[in-house]
Amino acid sequence: MAGRARDSGYAGRQAWTPAPRRRTITVLACTLALTVALTAAFAAPAAVSAADHDTVGDAISSAASSFGVTGLDQSVSDLSGPTHEVQMVYDFLHMWRSGGGASPDVLQEWTAHYSTPSGWPLYICVSRFDPLDSEEAYRLWASRYDDEIRAIYSGFQGEMPSGFSAREVRVGDTKGTEWAFTVPGGIREKTLGWRQGPLVIEVNYGEGASSSGFAELLFNELDSLDLEDASRPESADEPLAPETPTEGLTVGAFPGSFSALGDEVRITIGLSGADAQDAPVSLTGHGRDLHAVTDAGGSASFVVIHDDESVSEYRFRIVAGDRQRDVVIPVLSLRILPEDDPGTGEPYAGVVADGRSTLTLRIELGADTEGVLRVAPPVVGSLEGDGLADDGTLTLQSGAVVLTYAPPPYVTSDHLDTVITPPAPGDTLMSARDARTAYSNGGRIHIATIPLEFTFTGADGRDTTVKHDVLVARPPVMLVHGFTGDASTWSRLHSYLGERGFDGVINEYYAGNQGIHDQAELLGRDIAREKDRYATAGLKIAAVDVVGHSMGGLIAREYVYGLAPHPDDVRKVIMVGTPNHGATFTDKILGNLATEWSGAHSLASEQLYSGSAFMAQINDGEAVGRHLAPGVQYGNIYGVRDDWVVTQSSAWLNGVAERRITGVTHSPAIPVPGTPIAESAQVFDWILAWLGSDIQRAALKDTRVEIVAGRGEVYLAGWGDDGAPTRSEIASFPRSVPAWQDVGTGSDSGARIRLSVAGLAWGSIDLAPDTLITLGNLTPESVTVRVRQGSARFRSLRRAGGGHFEVVVGEGEPGAWTEFHPDAKVIGLDTDFVVLAGATGQGSVEALVLEGRALFDGGSAASGGERVELSVLQAGVTGGKASEVSALAGDQWWADAFYRPSFTEVLGEWWAIIRSQFELWFAALLEGDGAS
């Protein structure tokens, strides 16, 4: 790492460095001087043009001048020159080499310090390598950055930097990396690093300065130079050429080294782009001149043999059109053997970051080989093993050690460096390793190539590094459509995810009149097929993610926890507009459509009914969380107050993280204003965030509905198992009422119903004489009610977390829910309103707002799908909007003293409020003590 902690790197900052750090700087200077003596012995002579000294230095000066900085000092170092021994150079690569590591030689180095207009120092270091080594040097530097910073600071009397972070940046057309950390004393440091041809460039600056503009200027200056080649001399065995483009060309070797004469290594080549198919590819070096043509997937391969015992490493050049790469295969009694796929018998090429899968690697070293073997920490993921020490040294038992590579739970987009396309079922692959480049069926997988670097230091002090790439992929995302949907439901999300490096998988369901359980089995077969596709690609996979729209969410829920035995291959279930508690009391639009749907999909249609046996089974134990599969992360996105099909009270699911959105429709088939929920950009962003991070479960909420008072005839009604109506009189109060229960009153009777969460009331329902209602889905913030006859008042308390009511009006026979057409619908907006069925005759409805606002849908032909908004003392009637004063306003049955809460009820409510506030205060107090 160039200039990581040179004397010039910190001496230039003494003017603004706190006084207590000056002893640290002195220690650093001594450390640097010691390092000089060590690094001098490792410098490799090379022929470098003296003219290049001035050209690069002038380019740095020109960029600095354009950027408006003031020069502090500048130097040019020819590392092969005679003055190298006396230079204060603390280059990362030399430091790494002095510690026993292997790295390419730095041929030249330019360093400069400046002061920016804001007063912060700006440090620049440009290191020049052999063109063949510059990429390897940059990768080595980048992969070791954090460790080397900590190593430098380890001698600073215990003071260590903190808060390391890294992100990918672009400088011109080239990708680079920016690191940030806080040095002792609280100063925020940042470093930008990138590579340009034979040059590796580093810019180090303080928190108050921006280097991005300077980086662009410096790049432009360096681009204009024509540096003379300082490569190694050419030889017949090592064909060299100036640096050429490598984008779109991937090269891999398996295994990564030769061990004995006669060993074979397969070199795989992958091309991407419009010219990837039928492209000529050649391999040259060590007397080989091999040629091949890429297949339909853009892949080709060569097999090379260790046939010269005098060679310590083989260097081959791969050329494909104007693109080329070099591959180095060392000769070493070191073998890196990934675990085999039991299905194919081939070694895995990589692993899926699904939170469960890991990859085992067996490292073997010849028994007669003397030396030390180390492994560098991977840039992504982690390595563990009983024989792995903290410094990366491997202790081998009987010549072998077993390591486990664990990918991170989530792979960020900046690590995805290639795309592969798995083969169609039945395609023959030469090996699992070849699967990286031998795909042909169009399903793309975005891949992060993670290099593992093993360095062997022999008894003679010679270092040999063997690289083994592990491929890491994100889990596939199964996109499941809903009731009567098809592949088009998620087509836009599929493209959205694909552009961001996710492998979306769309399949169609409804092959016939199948129920939700049958659809879940189809989903299971699709998941198994997708896991087979990844395995064929040489990727070890345990789990997928699932996103379901509408009934697709129920299909996913049924798959992970309804099938027996419960499958264990789903990590996340994300539901979008899913009727988790079924559909009933529906909008008239859905009723009309359902009539047409039921003939083709009557079984699934009946299961979607809120009172069906399927809904009872899938939500069994919801109050205590028994409805959720252990180990599965759930997310729930739905419309508020509804999406014209699925109500909020049906979509809500206890114990599940949720996101709510307004102004959406259930699907494009619904002819009302709004964006379809499966095409919403906001919904897409939420899905993306949940796919890229853990979804925490929400706290379970206790919902309770009670008839707290009654006079005259109050009863519960329902239907028995034989379909006959049932009715039971209520003689004592309070009386708990379950969901999907009818509550009625006789003539000269009345009832008051209280809805609460964790003991605190959020709303109430008052029933007039001769009224019959059905309580639908009961949730902590919403309840659906159907008024069959009579009149009822609905009040929502205006407090934090207060809920609301969705009320539909109309009669209908139980079980025929798909043919039920409500006469009207009222959605309360934290309000107080009264609803009357049969106000002016059969099928007529009136709603009066007493406080707040409400949305009223009375089936007006002129509404164009819009719901009328009512405010205080406004009324809605079937077919339109009533006058300011309605028949209900003149009746005011709810003003009877019976409907006023008793003193005992009021006192109990106040006590519940005080208790809840005390519990919140006490919990906060305990949390504060824990934090202190």
Side-chain angles (χ1 to χ4, degrees), residues 767-797:
L767 302 185
D770 290 322
T771 296
L772 179 64
I773 68 170
T774 300
L775 292 168
N777 300 309
L778 307 175
T779 75
E781 299 178 10
S782 175
V783 63
T784 306
V785 182
R786 178 174 173 182
V787 178
R788 294 178 176 273
Q789 67 181 42
S791 183
R793 179 187 182 185
F794 303 88
R795 284 182 291 182
S796 299
L797 298 183

mmCIF file of all heavy atoms in Angstrom, residues 767-797:
data_model
loop_
_atom_site.group_PDB
_atom_site.id
_atom_site.type_symbol
_atom_site.label_atom_id
_atom_site.label_comp_id
_atom_site.label_asym_id
_atom_site.label_seq_id
_atom_site.Cartn_x
_atom_site.Cartn_y
_atom_site.Cartn_z
ATOM 1 N N LEU A 767 -75.056 -0.828 18.827
ATOM 2 C CA LEU A 767 -76.093 -1.428 17.984
ATOM 3 C C LEU A 767 -77.451 -0.893 18.373
ATOM 4 O O LEU A 767 -77.833 -0.913 19.567
ATOM 5 C CB LEU A 767 -76.081 -2.952 18.120
ATOM 6 C CG LEU A 767 -74.768 -3.676 17.768
ATOM 7 C CD1 LEU A 767 -74.974 -5.185 17.853
ATOM 8 C CD2 LEU A 767 -74.263 -3.276 16.396
ATOM 9 N N ALA A 768 -78.229 -0.435 17.389
ATOM 10 C CA ALA A 768 -79.604 0.002 17.602
ATOM 11 C C ALA A 768 -80.510 -1.220 17.697
ATOM 12 O O ALA A 768 -80.083 -2.354 17.428
ATOM 13 C CB ALA A 768 -80.025 0.918 16.453
ATOM 14 N N PRO A 769 -81.785 -1.043 18.066
ATOM 15 C CA PRO A 769 -82.729 -2.170 18.071
ATOM 16 C C PRO A 769 -82.874 -2.773 16.667
ATOM 17 O O PRO A 769 -82.691 -2.085 15.656
ATOM 18 C CB PRO A 769 -84.035 -1.535 18.550
ATOM 19 C CG PRO A 769 -83.602 -0.342 19.344
ATOM 20 C CD PRO A 769 -82.378 0.177 18.643
ATOM 21 N N ASP A 770 -83.171 -4.067 16.631
ATOM 22 C CA ASP A 770 -83.401 -4.803 15.379
ATOM 23 C C ASP A 770 -82.224 -4.659 14.408
ATOM 24 O O ASP A 770 -82.389 -4.370 13.222
ATOM 25 C CB ASP A 770 -84.696 -4.315 14.701
ATOM 26 C CG ASP A 770 -85.928 -4.722 15.475
ATOM 27 O OD1 ASP A 770 -85.942 -5.856 16.008
ATOM 28 O OD2 ASP A 770 -86.857 -3.903 15.575
ATOM 29 N N THR A 771 -81.030 -4.869 14.939
ATOM 30 C CA THR A 771 -79.804 -4.740 14.129
ATOM 31 C C THR A 771 -79.055 -6.063 14.147
ATOM 32 O O THR A 771 -79.006 -6.752 15.170
ATOM 33 C CB THR A 771 -78.902 -3.611 14.669
ATOM 34 O OG1 THR A 771 -79.601 -2.365 14.542
ATOM 35 C CG2 THR A 771 -77.585 -3.536 13.914
ATOM 36 N N LEU A 772 -78.474 -6.414 13.011
ATOM 37 C CA LEU A 772 -77.661 -7.625 12.913
ATOM 38 C C LEU A 772 -76.378 -7.280 12.153
ATOM 39 O O LEU A 772 -76.430 -6.775 11.038
ATOM 40 C CB LEU A 772 -78.422 -8.735 12.175
ATOM 41 C CG LEU A 772 -77.651 -10.053 11.979
ATOM 42 C CD1 LEU A 772 -77.344 -10.711 13.319
ATOM 43 C CD2 LEU A 772 -78.439 -11.012 11.081
ATOM 44 N N ILE A 773 -75.227 -7.539 12.799
ATOM 45 C CA ILE A 773 -73.937 -7.283 12.151
ATOM 46 C C ILE A 773 -73.097 -8.557 12.210
ATOM 47 O O ILE A 773 -73.353 -9.454 13.015
ATOM 48 C CB ILE A 773 -73.156 -6.132 12.817
ATOM 49 C CG1 ILE A 773 -72.710 -6.540 14.224
ATOM 50 C CG2 ILE A 773 -73.971 -4.852 12.833
ATOM 51 C CD1 ILE A 773 -71.733 -5.570 14.863
ATOM 52 N N THR A 774 -72.088 -8.615 11.337
ATOM 53 C CA THR A 774 -71.091 -9.689 11.381
ATOM 54 C C THR A 774 -69.724 -9.065 11.578
ATOM 55 O O THR A 774 -69.316 -8.188 10.792
ATOM 56 C CB THR A 774 -71.090 -10.510 10.080
ATOM 57 O OG1 THR A 774 -72.383 -11.095 9.894
ATOM 58 C CG2 THR A 774 -70.033 -11.609 10.145
ATOM 59 N N LEU A 775 -69.020 -9.467 12.620
ATOM 60 C CA LEU A 775 -67.665 -8.985 12.852
ATOM 61 C C LEU A 775 -66.699 -9.792 11.975
ATOM 62 O O LEU A 775 -66.673 -11.017 12.042
ATOM 63 C CB LEU A 775 -67.285 -9.149 14.327
ATOM 64 C CG LEU A 775 -68.059 -8.248 15.300
ATOM 65 C CD1 LEU A 775 -67.820 -8.695 16.737
ATOM 66 C CD2 LEU A 775 -67.631 -6.806 15.132
ATOM 67 N N GLY A 776 -65.926 -9.094 11.182
ATOM 68 C CA GLY A 776 -65.004 -9.770 10.281
ATOM 69 C C GLY A 776 -63.618 -9.907 10.877
ATOM 70 O O GLY A 776 -63.459 -10.298 12.040
ATOM 71 N N ASN A 777 -62.583 -9.591 10.095
ATOM 72 C CA ASN A 777 -61.210 -9.701 10.567
ATOM 73 C C ASN A 777 -60.966 -8.713 11.698
ATOM 74 O O ASN A 777 -61.223 -7.515 11.568
ATOM 75 C CB ASN A 777 -60.243 -9.412 9.412
ATOM 76 C CG ASN A 777 -60.425 -10.379 8.270
ATOM 77 O OD1 ASN A 777 -60.437 -11.582 8.467
ATOM 78 N ND2 ASN A 777 -60.595 -9.852 7.059
ATOM 79 N N LEU A 778 -60.450 -9.206 12.805
ATOM 80 C CA LEU A 778 -60.212 -8.377 13.990
ATOM 81 C C LEU A 778 -58.710 -8.159 14.139
ATOM 82 O O LEU A 778 -57.967 -9.101 14.418
ATOM 83 C CB LEU A 778 -60.769 -9.065 15.242
ATOM 84 C CG LEU A 778 -62.239 -9.506 15.158
ATOM 85 C CD1 LEU A 778 -62.639 -10.276 16.408
ATOM 86 C CD2 LEU A 778 -63.149 -8.310 14.945
ATOM 87 N N THR A 779 -58.251 -6.945 13.935
ATOM 88 C CA THR A 779 -56.833 -6.629 14.038
ATOM 89 C C THR A 779 -56.654 -5.472 15.016
ATOM 90 O O THR A 779 -57.621 -4.797 15.369
ATOM 91 C CB THR A 779 -56.252 -6.238 12.674
ATOM 92 O OG1 THR A 779 -56.682 -4.912 12.344
ATOM 93 C CG2 THR A 779 -56.680 -7.203 11.589
ATOM 94 N N PRO A 780 -55.412 -5.216 15.464
ATOM 95 C CA PRO A 780 -55.185 -4.139 16.432
ATOM 96 C C PRO A 780 -55.510 -2.748 15.900
ATOM 97 O O PRO A 780 -55.677 -1.826 16.691
ATOM 98 C CB PRO A 780 -53.690 -4.258 16.740
ATOM 99 C CG PRO A 780 -53.335 -5.656 16.407
ATOM 100 C CD PRO A 780 -54.186 -5.999 15.242
ATOM 101 N N GLU A 781 -55.580 -2.567 14.586
ATOM 102 C CA GLU A 781 -55.795 -1.224 14.062
ATOM 103 C C GLU A 781 -56.934 -1.131 13.063
ATOM 104 O O GLU A 781 -57.188 -0.061 12.525
ATOM 105 C CB GLU A 781 -54.511 -0.721 13.395
ATOM 106 C CG GLU A 781 -53.334 -0.637 14.357
ATOM 107 C CD GLU A 781 -52.072 -0.171 13.658
ATOM 108 O OE1 GLU A 781 -52.170 0.258 12.502
ATOM 109 O OE2 GLU A 781 -51.003 -0.252 14.270
ATOM 110 N N SER A 782 -57.602 -2.231 12.816
ATOM 111 C CA SER A 782 -58.665 -2.199 11.826
ATOM 112 C C SER A 782 -59.579 -3.397 12.037
ATOM 113 O O SER A 782 -59.126 -4.472 12.409
ATOM 114 C CB SER A 782 -58.062 -2.241 10.410
ATOM 115 O OG SER A 782 -59.077 -2.321 9.443
ATOM 116 N N VAL A 783 -60.860 -3.179 11.794
ATOM 117 C CA VAL A 783 -61.814 -4.283 11.853
ATOM 118 C C VAL A 783 -62.826 -4.092 10.725
ATOM 119 O O VAL A 783 -63.224 -2.975 10.406
ATOM 120 C CB VAL A 783 -62.530 -4.353 13.220
ATOM 121 C CG1 VAL A 783 -63.355 -3.117 13.479
ATOM 122 C CG2 VAL A 783 -63.390 -5.602 13.321
ATOM 123 N N THR A 784 -63.177 -5.191 10.106
ATOM 124 C CA THR A 784 -64.171 -5.166 9.035
ATOM 125 C C THR A 784 -65.500 -5.640 9.597
ATOM 126 O O THR A 784 -65.564 -6.664 10.275
ATOM 127 C CB THR A 784 -63.748 -6.076 7.874
ATOM 128 O OG1 THR A 784 -62.444 -5.705 7.455
ATOM 129 C CG2 THR A 784 -64.698 -5.948 6.706
ATOM 130 N N VAL A 785 -66.559 -4.898 9.330
ATOM 131 C CA VAL A 785 -67.889 -5.206 9.861
ATOM 132 C C VAL A 785 -68.888 -5.185 8.709
ATOM 133 O O VAL A 785 -68.814 -4.330 7.823
ATOM 134 C CB VAL A 785 -68.320 -4.188 10.939
ATOM 135 C CG1 VAL A 785 -69.695 -4.562 11.500
ATOM 136 C CG2 VAL A 785 -67.291 -4.117 12.054
ATOM 137 N N ARG A 786 -69.821 -6.124 8.753
ATOM 138 C CA ARG A 786 -70.898 -6.157 7.764
ATOM 139 C C ARG A 786 -72.217 -5.895 8.474
ATOM 140 O O ARG A 786 -72.579 -6.611 9.419
ATOM 141 C CB ARG A 786 -70.922 -7.512 7.072
ATOM 142 C CG ARG A 786 -72.037 -7.684 6.039
ATOM 143 C CD ARG A 786 -71.827 -9.000 5.340
ATOM 144 N NE ARG A 786 -72.908 -9.346 4.448
ATOM 145 C CZ ARG A 786 -72.969 -10.466 3.748
ATOM 146 N NH1 ARG A 786 -71.979 -11.343 3.841
ATOM 147 N NH2 ARG A 786 -73.984 -10.721 2.949
ATOM 148 N N VAL A 787 -72.903 -4.855 8.048
ATOM 149 C CA VAL A 787 -74.221 -4.538 8.611
ATOM 150 C C VAL A 787 -75.272 -5.218 7.733
ATOM 151 O O VAL A 787 -75.473 -4.839 6.577
ATOM 152 C CB VAL A 787 -74.455 -3.018 8.666
ATOM 153 C CG1 VAL A 787 -75.859 -2.723 9.204
ATOM 154 C CG2 VAL A 787 -73.398 -2.349 9.533
ATOM 155 N N ARG A 788 -75.922 -6.244 8.295
ATOM 156 C CA ARG A 788 -76.929 -6.984 7.530
ATOM 157 C C ARG A 788 -78.299 -6.300 7.582
ATOM 158 O O ARG A 788 -79.031 -6.295 6.598
ATOM 159 C CB ARG A 788 -77.040 -8.408 8.070
ATOM 160 C CG ARG A 788 -75.768 -9.244 7.856
ATOM 161 C CD ARG A 788 -75.939 -10.636 8.453
ATOM 162 N NE ARG A 788 -74.784 -11.478 8.186
ATOM 163 C CZ ARG A 788 -74.613 -12.211 7.091
ATOM 164 N NH1 ARG A 788 -75.544 -12.197 6.147
ATOM 165 N NH2 ARG A 788 -73.528 -12.937 6.923
ATOM 166 N N GLN A 789 -78.618 -5.753 8.738
ATOM 167 C CA GLN A 789 -79.886 -5.036 8.869
ATOM 168 C C GLN A 789 -79.772 -4.079 10.045
ATOM 169 O O GLN A 789 -78.916 -4.232 10.918
ATOM 170 C CB GLN A 789 -81.046 -6.005 9.123
ATOM 171 C CG GLN A 789 -80.970 -6.707 10.464
ATOM 172 C CD GLN A 789 -82.112 -7.692 10.689
ATOM 173 O OE1 GLN A 789 -82.483 -8.423 9.771
ATOM 174 N NE2 GLN A 789 -82.669 -7.716 11.892
ATOM 175 N N GLY A 790 -80.623 -3.056 10.050
ATOM 176 C CA GLY A 790 -80.656 -2.133 11.170
ATOM 177 C C GLY A 790 -79.617 -1.030 11.058
ATOM 178 O O GLY A 790 -79.198 -0.642 9.953
ATOM 179 N N SER A 791 -79.176 -0.520 12.229
ATOM 180 C CA SER A 791 -78.290 0.639 12.275
ATOM 181 C C SER A 791 -77.236 0.438 13.352
ATOM 182 O O SER A 791 -77.523 -0.137 14.417
ATOM 183 C CB SER A 791 -79.100 1.913 12.569
ATOM 184 O OG SER A 791 -78.275 3.047 12.561
ATOM 185 N N ALA A 792 -76.014 0.933 13.102
ATOM 186 C CA ALA A 792 -74.903 0.809 14.058
ATOM 187 C C ALA A 792 -74.024 2.043 13.977
ATOM 188 O O ALA A 792 -73.896 2.675 12.917
ATOM 189 C CB ALA A 792 -74.082 -0.443 13.776
ATOM 190 N N ARG A 793 -73.461 2.382 15.147
ATOM 191 C CA ARG A 793 -72.542 3.532 15.234
ATOM 192 C C ARG A 793 -71.119 3.010 15.463
ATOM 193 O O ARG A 793 -70.906 2.135 16.300
ATOM 194 C CB ARG A 793 -72.955 4.448 16.380
ATOM 195 C CG ARG A 793 -72.048 5.666 16.571
ATOM 196 C CD ARG A 793 -72.435 6.420 17.815
ATOM 197 N NE ARG A 793 -71.611 7.615 18.013
ATOM 198 C CZ ARG A 793 -71.679 8.403 19.073
ATOM 199 N NH1 ARG A 793 -72.544 8.118 20.061
ATOM 200 N NH2 ARG A 793 -70.894 9.468 19.165
ATOM 201 N N PHE A 794 -70.151 3.609 14.758
ATOM 202 C CA PHE A 794 -68.751 3.172 14.833
ATOM 203 C C PHE A 794 -67.885 4.354 15.246
ATOM 204 O O PHE A 794 -67.881 5.398 14.587
ATOM 205 C CB PHE A 794 -68.298 2.630 13.472
ATOM 206 C CG PHE A 794 -69.143 1.501 12.965
ATOM 207 C CD1 PHE A 794 -70.279 1.747 12.204
ATOM 208 C CD2 PHE A 794 -68.814 0.185 13.279
ATOM 209 C CE1 PHE A 794 -71.076 0.702 11.740
ATOM 210 C CE2 PHE A 794 -69.603 -0.863 12.814
ATOM 211 C CZ PHE A 794 -70.733 -0.613 12.048
ATOM 212 N N ARG A 795 -67.176 4.189 16.351
ATOM 213 C CA ARG A 795 -66.317 5.262 16.858
ATOM 214 C C ARG A 795 -64.867 4.785 16.964
ATOM 215 O O ARG A 795 -64.596 3.721 17.526
ATOM 216 C CB ARG A 795 -66.794 5.721 18.235
ATOM 217 C CG ARG A 795 -68.029 6.583 18.204
ATOM 218 C CD ARG A 795 -68.427 7.041 19.580
ATOM 219 N NE ARG A 795 -68.922 5.930 20.398
ATOM 220 C CZ ARG A 795 -69.378 6.067 21.637
ATOM 221 N NH1 ARG A 795 -69.384 7.250 22.219
ATOM 222 N NH2 ARG A 795 -69.818 5.033 22.307
ATOM 223 N N SER A 796 -63.940 5.606 16.433
ATOM 224 C CA SER A 796 -62.508 5.354 16.570
ATOM 225 C C SER A 796 -61.937 6.394 17.523
ATOM 226 O O SER A 796 -62.151 7.596 17.334
ATOM 227 C CB SER A 796 -61.791 5.464 15.219
ATOM 228 O OG SER A 796 -62.276 4.516 14.310
ATOM 229 N N LEU A 797 -61.234 5.935 18.559
ATOM 230 C CA LEU A 797 -60.639 6.868 19.511
ATOM 231 C C LEU A 797 -59.426 7.548 18.881
ATOM 232 O O LEU A 797 -58.596 6.898 18.242
ATOM 233 C CB LEU A 797 -60.219 6.128 20.778
ATOM 234 C CG LEU A 797 -61.359 5.449 21.553
ATOM 235 C CD1 LEU A 797 -60.821 4.809 22.815
ATOM 236 C CD2 LEU A 797 -62.465 6.450 21.896
#
